[in-house]
Amino acid sequence: MLLQVSGRNAAFPGEGIVDYSLSREVEFRDMTDAPTGREERFFALVFPALERAGYTAYGAQQKLVAATGINKTTVSRLLRGETVPHVKFFPALAKALGLDPVELLVAAEIVPPEYLESQQALSETDRSQVGSNLTPEEVADQWGILDDVGRFTFFAVVDKLTTDEADEADPGDATAQA
């Protein structure tokens, strides 16, 4: 609702209230921070996983901070359903919750649902038929990830997942460098 206030004597229609103020437009808004559809989908996926992983119990907030690297304020707001964390934390959050990072990306509407469907179809096929020498750039092109943000996000997830797999495959390497 937009109310035009002009001059020094402004009346609020139907209210019988007189206000003495400067000329301006005043917009009345619903000040609730109701979650958007995107946030609702994200929380519908994340909250059950948070519960299963034990992160909703009293005192578990610090455990989630340590597991994901997300700052305490953002974790607190996540647990209250008030914010979706930055995408750079999705790989760690997915790992801590036992979820697929692509599911988080789809729920947060960063990538369209077709990417998740493509990934599921890929896992259901014989990987030898797909070919193991595809680069992330080729996969992004084939999946239609053409915008800069989508490509950056996709490459970041691939890099994180392949780095984690390499670290797990050769744990002695990290010890030797320490």
Side-chain angles (χ1 to χ4, degrees):
M1 175 176 149
L2 193 60
L3 175 67
Q4 179 69 36
V5 180
S6 59
R8 294 184 167 269
N9 190 3
F12 292 84
E15 301 286 339
I17 301 171
V18 176
D19 178 26
Y20 296 96
S21 60
L22 299 175
S23 299
R24 67 184 185 275
E25 283 189 345
V26 179
E27 184 175 355
F28 294 94
R29 295 184 186 175
D30 180 10
M31 298 305 279
T32 61
D33 289 329
T36 64
R38 167 187 174 262
E39 291 168 335
E40 288 173 349
R41 280 186 290 283
F42 185 82
F43 298 139
L45 173 66
V46 170
F47 283 144
L50 285 166
E51 288 176 339
R52 282 190 307 273
Y55 290 116
T56 57
Y58 181 78
Q61 179 175 332
Q62 190 59 39
K63 191 171 117 181
L64 185 57
V65 168
T68 62
I70 302 172
N71 71 49
K72 186 176 179 179
T73 302
T74 303
V75 165
S76 178
R77 293 183 68 212
L78 170 67
L79 292 171
R80 290 192 312 261
E82 295 176 356
T83 191
V84 174
H86 191 278
V87 69
K88 70 181 179 183
F89 296 110
F90 281 19
L93 182 62
K95 186 173 183 179
L97 301 181
L99 296 173
D100 181 348
V102 177
E103 288 180 288
L104 292 178
L105 293 168
V106 169
E109 294 182 2
I110 295 168
V111 297
E114 294 80 34
Y115 298 152
L116 183 59
E117 294 164 7
S118 297
Q119 184 185 38
Q120 289 170 342
L122 180 61
S123 67
E124 293 169 1
T125 63
D126 180 5
R127 290 189 181 268
S128 64
Q129 294 175 2
V130 176
S132 60
N133 57 354
L134 291 175
T135 66
E137 290 80 8
E138 291 170 328
V139 173
D141 290 341
Q142 288 180 8
W143 283 357
I145 306 172
L146 303 176
D147 64 288
D148 290 339
V149 173
R151 289 178 79 84
F152 173 81
T153 303
F154 176 74
F155 297 148
V157 170
V158 168
D159 183 54
K160 175 67 175 159
L161 292 173
T162 56
T163 302
D164 285 349
E165 289 174 7
D167 290 347
E168 290 173 8
D170 193 6
D173 217 16
T175 308
Q177 294 176 1

